[in-house]
Structure formats: C-alpha cells, structure tokens
Amino acid sequence: MLLFAEVNVEALVMAAIILAITLGITFWASKKASSAVGFYAAGRQITGRQNGLAISGDYLSAASFLGIAGLIFLYGFDGFLYSIGFLVAFLTVMFLLAERMRNAGKYTIADVLSFRLNETPARAAAALGTFAVVTFYLIAQMVGAGVLIEKLVGINFSLAVLLTGAFMLCYVIFGGMVATTWVQIVKAVLLMAGILTMSIFVLGKVGFNPVELFNRANENKGPESTFSLAPGTYLPKPLDTVSLGLALVLGTAGLPHILMRFFTVPNAKAARSSVVWAMFIIGFFYLLTTFIGFGARAFLGEGGVEGAGTGGNLAAPNLAAFLGGGEGTFGGDLFLAFIAGVAFATILAVVAGLVLSASAAFSHDIWSSIVRKGKDSEHEEVLVARIAAFGIGVIAIIIAIIGGSGLNVSFMVGLAFAVAASANFPALVLALSWRRFNTTGAITGVVTGVVSSIFLVIVSPKVWPGADTVTGSPIGWTLNNPGIISIPLGFLGCFLGTILSKERTEERSFNELFVRSETGLGSERALEKVG
Amino acid sequence: MTDWERIERSDEFRELVKRRRSFVVPATIFFLVYYMAFIIVAGYAPDFMGESVYQGLTVGYCYALTQFVMVFVLGLWYLRKSDKEFDPLADKVVEAAAEFEAGDVRFVRKDDTEVKA
C-alpha cells in the first residue's frame, strides 16, 4: 500500500505547525479539564466574543468552506442558497433557544429536555437524538477529511482518516471543552484570515469590482456547463429546494454540538452576545465564499471542472494555487499549502466538537443519570466521558475507513440537519414553551423525527438514482430532502404523544423551568477563575 | 425553597415575558416568512432570480444580500432591546425573588392584595 503518493511538503509543514499549536493548547487545557464543569463546559468562563468565535469554528465545516465554494463554482447561485439557510438559522437559535438553554441546562441538551419530565426516558430520548445527529455528521466530516487531506497533502485516505481521528481524540480526551473551544477559536481566526486573503486576491484581479467578477464568471461557462447565475441547476426540483431550506433554517437549532457551546459562557447575556458575534463572523464568511466560488469560475473556467473533483471540493485550493502564481511555482504551492492547512484545522475543530457532545450524552445522560442513577462520583463521570469519547472516535474512524471515499458527504450532512430539525428541535422548543408537554410527547416526538427523516432519506432518489428523471425509489418517493415532511411529523409526534397520554406527574414544575429559563434565576454558575 | 409559582404570577415576571414576547414572536414570524419567501421564489421562479439588475449582478444575489442585512439588523436590534429593556426587567424579578425569600413581602397579586409570607 502506497502511503505517501506525492507528498506536498509545504502543505505538510503547514499542517505540522497547526498541529503543534493545537497540541500546545491541549497540554495547557488538560489541567483545567479535570472537573465535570471544566470538561463539559470549560468552567463556564468563556466570554461572549470568544464563544462567538468558537461557535463559528464549531459550525463552519469543510462542507461550508470547500463544499459551498465548490458548489458555487460548479452550479453558481444554488451553492449560495445553502449559505443563506446556514446563516438565517442563527436567528432561530437566538430567538428560541440560546439564552433559555443556558439558563435551564447544565451540560447537555438532555438537561433541558428532562428538566421537568420523567428523567430516565426523557434523557434516553435526547441521547438518541444526539447520537443520530452526531453519527451522520461525524462520519461525513471524517470521510471529507480523508478525501481532502489525501488530495491536498498527498497521504493515503485511510492514514488521513486515522490521523484526523487521533488528533481529534487527543484534544477531547485530554483537554475536554477547554481545548476544544480554543482549537475552534484558533481555527475560526485561521479560516477567516485564509478566506479574506483569497478574496482580496480575487477581487484585486477585477479591480475590486464584484460585478465584474460575476460578469467574468458568467462568460466562463462552456456550452454544456451546469453553472448559472440563476438558481435551479443543482436543485432543479422546487419542492426539494423548499424542503432543504426548511431543514437548514431549523436544523442548526437542533445540533447538539452547537447548543452545547451555550453552556460554556457565564450567563444568558453572554450566550446572546455570542450568537450575534457568530452571526457576523459566519455571515461575513459566507459572503466571502461567493467571491471564492465565482472567482474560481472566472479564473479557472470550464477547464477547471475536472480538477475540482466530486462536488467541486478542490475548486478553492486550486484557485489558491492559481492566485499564488500557478501550480508548481513557489507562490502557488505556498498559497495552496496555506489553504490546505486551513482546511485541515477546519475539519479538526468540527469533529472535536462533535465527539465531545456525543461523549457528554453518553457519560452525563446514559451512564451517570440512567445507569448509575446519579450515584457516581464526578471523577467517575469524567472518566466515563473520556472512555466514551475514545469509543465513539474509534467507531467513527472504522466506519469512515470501511465506507471509504465513496460515501457521499453532502448526503450525510443533509441527513444530520434533517434529523436535528425533525427530532431535537421540536422537542426542545416544546419542552421550553408548552406547559402541557410531557415525557410521552418527548419520546414519541424524538422517535418520530429520527425514524421519519432517516426513512425518507433511505427511500429518496439520491440513494436510488434512477435513469434520467425517472425515480428509482422503491416507493416512488421523489424528494431528496425529507424536512418538509419529517419536521411537521416531529412536531405532530410531540403533540399527539402529549395529548393522548394520561401522564400528569411532573418531577419539577413548569413554573420553575419557565421562570428559570426566562430570568436565569437558579441557573448554573460559572466556576471561579482558577490560576 | 424558591416559590416558583409565586414568581411566575408576579407582575415583574409577567411584564418581562409580555415585553420579550411582543418582540420575539413578531420577529420570528417575520424572519421565517422573509427567508421562506426567498427559498420559494428561488425554487419556483428561477428565471426571475436570474434576471440582471446591473450586468452580472442578479435579482437573486441582491435578494440574498437583503437576507444578510436582515440577520445583522435583527441580531443587533435584539441585543440592544435586551440590554435596555429585558435584562433590567429580569434583574427586577431576581431581586424581588431574593427579597421575598429574605422575608420581605414584595410580591403583589394581580388583584393588588399583598401576599403574606
């Protein structure tokens, strides 16, 4: 087996520098991550601005950076549709969940869901939602990491996945939320620096006139090109577009690794300001990705399509090489290496956040609350969290390597958003705002959301591609995106489960949850600063 | 033990919830409608979205830019409203709760009769 095909030395050096910085952070953080509140919530000492950067680092995956730039390069406007949904979603998070999660919760989304419900089943339901989302998202990111690192750095796919997984586990196991947060902050700064530099280079070539960039991009499509300044090329079915849009705008508010970030700040005010910081950083980022995508079309043209690979993921790195003076030149290789390093850091920060949220769901919800009924020590819970992180990471590495580079990354990410929007989002929102909501409703809602979104994806034409326009789906299903059906089903599951069950007992009152989530009265305190 | 029910019924808390809702509910409806309108137009009227406003600058790109503006404006507006209006009200609720627990009768029912501790 050829492990090192054509190693890009500059890219390797760049990756090594990033790894050295992140390992330094992990070593520093390891002393602060020994308590439960340190391991899961970074002692709740992260400021609003830091958390805004960390949310951006947690959220902007390689699918956002390379994927959207690639989609715009290949299909034009449709790629930009994703960006809008990913950004507007933060209004959902801000208005409906951020502050209330911070006030009512402790470490995981299950804390909020089970606040006044029957703890064991409610935590199990929340953990199911978390595991479903994290599994799809994590495997997607790991496969994406393997493909990109193989292409950019020149090492073998399996080795690339293994290395990514090993570093991810190192941050989470030794540095917990403290290390994960700072890795995400460093990554957000690097990513913004990278995309800003590229944008300035791109705009410099058209006299800093974006309209000229769009003109050139539009001139540079061949007769058979999929590229268009109008929508409908990548997403030709209108109802599918609407379904996708719905899942994007509601799904972010059900992503456990994003919601978990709100437990790391001292109070609701910081949670609120962190969302607004994240909105500006992420919004600015998505605006710049259009310059990268249209820039790649304007300068690489139709001839660059083949080199951009599946989904156009390599359009941005190829554009970087072009902007630096062309492939093979010192400037070109250096710019390519820089962007490759940024992409590497991007993936690491996202997968670390994902593994941490899943390990917290296992140790805090399943082990400590359900198996040990709260009788375990804090030391034991953190130890279990570390072991769980290791287990989850190893499983993800194995699935990613077995599934190989053939697994469709955007399909898995879409599935993760659909599950988050259909299962976690309805249950959380109703738990916080509907007085009558009960345990049965939470369970039926989460289960309906998970099952319906996964089922509708399995029978979708994406999985059963037919000849031309004829769907190959076994039940004649024509939508690729399940959101428009599965999100209402998730809400309906919560509603029917609640009104059809006779359950009336409550562990704690809705009054307590309501007052606490609105005012912060009785909410978790930040650790006193140590050291 | 904090008496959550009493706090929930207090005027301070009702005022906080009323004021915050009167901002958050219309804002949420507005942004969801404005965003979904964009997605629906993109899905069902691609030609309109592809029309040129000025050379390569299309209706769709301009429409998309207004979504960015909406997110930034609503974000900053809510931040400002919270600092000036909602946070002081929430502080009042917390203060009143603390005073009540300390034995000071501060909670007044809707019908203006004092609640004895």
Side-chain angles (χ1 to χ4, degrees), chain A residues 289-358:
Chain A
T289 46
T290 64
F291 299 141
I292 308 303
F294 285 118
R297 174 53 68 172
F299 304 126
L300 305 178
E302 201 65 33
V305 171
E306 210 185 303
T310 335
N313 281 329
L314 297 172
N318 289 347
L319 178 66
F322 167 82
L323 293 171
E327 213 171 321
T329 67
F330 177 70
D333 283 353
L334 198 67
F335 211 160
L336 176 69
F338 176 61
I339 294 304
V342 168
F344 187 48
T346 289
I347 294 163
L348 284 175
V350 176
V351 291
L354 284 166
V355 167
L356 186 62
S357 67

Side-chain angles (χ1 to χ4, degrees), chain A residues 73-122:
Chain A
F73 166 67
L74 288 179
Y75 301 97
F77 191 80
D78 274 353
F80 198 27
L81 275 183
Y82 280 86
S83 314
I84 307 295
F86 286 143
L87 175 66
V88 176
F90 276 90
L91 286 174
T92 317
V93 175
M94 179 173 77
F95 286 141
L96 299 180
L97 290 177
E99 293 167 65
R100 299 200 278 174
M101 293 289 292
R102 171 59 186 87
N103 282 336
K106 201 173 176 190
Y107 304 133
T108 64
I109 60 174
D111 290 331
V112 179
L113 191 66
S114 69
F115 192 90
R116 66 192 171 97
L117 306 180
N118 189 349
E119 193 160 0
T120 302

Side-chain angles (χ1 to χ4, degrees), chain A residues 77 80-81 84-85 92 99 214-215 229-231 238 241 245 249 269 272 279 283 287 290 435 511-512 514 518 521, chain B residues 4-5 7-8 20 31 35 38-39 42-44 46 49-50 55-56 60-61 64-65 68 72 78 82-83 87 94:
Chain A
F77 191 80
F80 198 27
L81 275 183
I84 307 295
T92 317
E99 293 167 65
F214 303 149
N215 291 342
L229 292 180
T241 310
V249 80
K269 190 179 162 69
R272 183 197 312 143
M279 277 175 187
L287 206 56
T290 64
R435 194 173 290 268
N511 312 79
E512 180 177 353
F514 189 34
E518 292 288 332
L521 202 62
Chain B
W4 300 101
E5 208 182 326
I7 299 173
E8 200 200 333
R20 189 181 273 150
F31 91 76
Y35 165 77
F38 170 76
I39 294 293
Y44 289 92
M49 291 295 240
Q55 296 180 3
Y61 197 85
L65 288 182
F68 282 79
F72 297 154
Y78 180 65
S82 297
D83 283 342
D87 281 0
V94 175

